[in-house]
Amino acid sequence: MRVKPLFVIISTLSLFLAVVLIYPSPPVAPSKSSDSTSAKSDIWSVQRIVEWRPCKWWLQSHLTPLPAKSNGFIRVDCYGGLNQMRRDFCDGVGIARLLNATLVLPKFEVAAYWNESSSGFSDVFDADYFITQMNGFVNVVKELPPEISSKEPHRVDCSKRKGQFDYIESVLPSLLKYHYVSITPAMSQRRDRYPKYAKAALCQACYRALKLTESLEKKANKLLEAIPKPFLSLHLRFEPDMVAYSQCQYSGLSPTSMKALEAARGDDRKPWTGEAARIWRNRGKCPLTPNETAFILQALSIPKNTNIYLAAGDGLMEIEGLTSIYSNVVTKSALLSGEDFETMHGNTKAALDYYVSINSDSYMATYFGNMDKMVAAMRAFEGLYKTLFLSRRAFAEFTSRGLEGKLLMEALWKAHKDDFIKGRGSALSDCFCEFKL
């Protein structure tokens, strides 16, 4: 009589299976990572289709031997901030190789507003390391031979040249005549005319041979270690001189910011007005405010608790517009001891920002200046692709159409997503080639 309970069990199981097969499963709750405006993943999760990598012809090419005899000595005179001087120096290395000249370590002429006390190449960069790394690419000397060292170089100012400037036509005759010349590279130079060996010298100098001095790199590593991880390095440009130079009009600035801005403007940097101001802004010429920057970060789904290292100069205005939304913001002045920070000046501070930015988990910039181009290139060189330039033009165009709130955020997301997946906006130099994924 024990068969009956077994029959009941089998009957019950059969009924249960029938119910499961007849009735559909309940709907699965939507994932928190769905692509809704409020819950989509951040911009870094977007799959890219293009990467910029160092060109093989530079990294793997066999060097053209240096000629047995040099045509003379070239010194590159560099002006401005650290990364502007770095850009000019890199160009100068290519020029020296192009003209078969021996390169003299450069002279740094720091702009007054950087408040830099030292202007020597060796105060920022490791000269011996540079010379070693450039072996075979171009001849480099720390000191001139006695018969030349007492002379001032013949100055050839190329910086203001317009059109298709050519160094062989315009500088080589002076080099052969005077044997020692100094130059400031022209912005309009024709790199497309450079032979590969001159381009390779430029690339090697810029991305492999420039290393911070041991003491400065030690300080940079100390700063890097102090930043909470993971972190985003944000290069935010809203200093009085930058805003004054842009000639853009801003409303709602604090009295303190307005006073600093008026002092920086002077008589020759009055802001555009009327239709001219609107056109200027829509062309992307106006620096993003910290508040606008915070809005774009939110549009890109960057979490509000993100650790942010603020790579910025002294005197940044309206910073509360960022820190009121993103509270985990740190600066070098807060992380370094007072003594460490007080002994530093413009170029060495910029060197710290550069070092931290190329070693950050991700990097964003509100401008597209010399530092941003150099950081983007170095990060690409190291295979770090979480790099993005915030679009001033997109923000201006969308707001001029009246977009705001959620609609503005969606438009900004799409614009930056398209840039990120296609590799646009990096504007890397001739040393990098496009690689389709």
Side-chain angles (χ1 to χ4, degrees):
M1 300 305 292
R2 294 178 181 176
V3 176
K4 188 173 181 179
L6 181 61
F7 174 80
V8 172
I9 293 171
I10 294 173
S11 299
T12 303
L13 287 173
S14 300
L15 181 60
F16 174 76
L17 289 172
V19 170
V20 170
L21 292 172
I22 292 172
Y23 289 96
S25 300
V28 177
S31 169
K32 289 184 179 180
S33 62
S34 62
D35 197 28
S36 65
T37 304
S38 60
K40 63 173 173 282
S41 300
D42 65 37
I43 191 68
W44 309 126
S45 66
V46 174
Q47 183 64 43
R48 297 184 317 278
I49 62 174
V50 167
E51 285 180 354
W52 288 87
R53 300 177 183 176
C55 301
K56 289 183 179 180
W57 60 259
W58 158 43
L59 294 179
Q60 301 175 4
S61 63
H62 298 287
L63 290 176
T64 301
L66 292 168
K69 184 179 180 182
S70 167
N71 286 329
F73 296 87
I74 281 184
R75 186 186 76 195
V76 186
D77 291 348
C78 307
Y79 298 85
L82 176 65
N83 289 288
Q84 179 181 338
M85 292 193 292
R86 183 201 301 259
R87 178 203 68 196
D88 286 348
F89 179 55
C90 292
D91 287 346
V93 174
I95 296 163
R97 182 66 182 91
L98 177 70
L99 303 182
N100 182 28
T102 298
L103 183 72
V104 182
L105 289 182
K107 182 179 181 183
F108 280 4
E109 297 284 357
V110 183
Y113 59 79
W114 282 100
N115 189 31
E116 183 68 60
S117 62
S118 65
S119 57
F121 175 87
S122 299
D123 293 315
V124 180
F125 299 111
D126 187 328
D128 291 329
Y129 182 83
F130 177 81
I131 292 172
T132 300
Q133 290 296 310
M134 294 311 298
N135 183 39
F137 287 89
V138 66
N139 287 322
V140 186
V141 294
K142 282 185 179 179
E143 298 178 357
L144 291 163
E147 65 272 17
I148 294 180
S149 60
S150 60
K151 302 176 183 178
E152 280 298 309
H154 175 75
R155 175 75 177 146
V156 184
D157 188 0
C158 313
S159 60
K160 304 299 182 183
R161 303 293 180 92
K162 304 294 182 182
Q164 298 180 349
F165 183 72
D166 188 285
Y167 287 98
I168 293 178
E169 297 170 0
S170 302
V171 179
L172 184 57
S174 295
L175 179 65
L176 293 172
K177 179 179 180 180
Y178 296 101
H179 304 296
Y180 180 29
V181 301
S182 66
I183 64 168
T184 300
M187 293 298 292
S188 57
Q189 64 187 293
R190 292 291 304 273
R191 283 194 192 134
D192 58 315
R193 296 183 180 182
Y194 281 22
K196 284 285 179 68
Y197 58 78
K199 284 187 180 181
L202 184 157
C203 298
Q204 177 75 1
C206 234
Y207 305 114
R208 274 186 165 172
L210 286 176
K211 177 184 176 184
L212 298 181
T213 63
E214 184 178 352
S215 61
L216 194 52
E217 189 168 293
K218 183 178 179 181
K219 189 172 292 189
N221 272 315
K222 179 181 177 182
L223 174 59
L224 185 62
E225 289 170 5
I227 301 170
K229 312 294 189 301
F231 73 98
L232 161 70
S233 180
L234 176 65
H235 190 207
L236 180 57
R237 302 300 310 272
F238 203 69
E239 304 95 338
D241 63 314
M242 169 60 65
V243 177
Y245 182 79
S246 73
Q247 295 184 274
C248 293
Q249 189 78 272
Y250 292 87
S251 61
L253 298 183
S254 69
T256 302
S257 296
M258 287 301 300
K259 184 178 179 180
L261 187 52
E262 288 303 315
R265 274 184 174 146
D267 297 326
D268 58 343
R269 291 182 176 177
K270 297 299 181 183
W272 297 104
T273 58
E275 182 65 9
R278 186 190 68 80
I279 294 172
W280 190 246
R281 182 172 291 277
N282 282 357
R283 288 176 59 191
K285 299 296 185 179
C286 297
L288 293 167
T289 69
N291 183 260
E292 291 167 346
T293 300
F295 186 90
I296 298 177
L297 294 184
Q298 291 175 86
L300 302 180
S301 294
I302 302 300
K304 292 181 181 179
N305 63 350
T306 298
N307 296 314
I308 297 178
Y309 172 78
L310 198 58
D314 298 329
L316 194 64
M317 301 188 298
E318 306 292 310
I319 188 58
E320 297 80 9
L322 173 70
T323 56
S324 62
I325 299 169
Y326 288 88
S327 56
N328 295 338
V329 176
V330 296
T331 63
K332 51 186 171 290
S333 60
L335 294 175
L336 290 175
S337 68
E339 183 180 350
D340 273 347
F341 193 70
E342 287 171 8
T343 58
M344 300 184 72
H345 299 275
N347 272 349
T348 45
K349 288 178 183 178
L352 295 187
D353 284 340
Y354 166 79
Y355 187 88
V356 168
S357 294
I358 63 174
N359 288 287
S360 61
D361 297 282
S362 53
Y363 177 76
M364 287 187 179
T366 63
Y367 195 67
F368 192 50
N370 293 308
M371 173 173 164
D372 309 307
K373 295 172 185 175
M374 187 65 65
V375 169
M378 284 304 301
R379 288 178 63 82
F381 184 80
E382 298 293 341
L384 303 173
Y385 292 100
K386 289 185 177 181
T387 304
L388 190 65
F389 301 108
L390 304 187
S391 177
R392 295 172 292 166
R393 174 175 288 186
F395 186 86
E397 286 182 353
F398 295 146
T399 52
S400 70
R401 294 182 205 167
L403 295 184
E404 56 185 16
K406 183 177 179 180
L407 289 178
L408 178 57
M409 282 193 170
E410 289 175 347
L412 289 168
W413 167 267
K414 185 178 185 307
H416 288 86
K417 175 185 174 184
D418 290 346
D419 280 353
F420 186 60
I421 65 175
K422 296 176 182 177
R424 287 199 301 257
S426 296
L428 298 179
S429 73
D430 296 332
C431 308
F432 292 80
C433 295
E434 187 178 80
F435 183 87
K436 293 185 179 180
L437 300 177

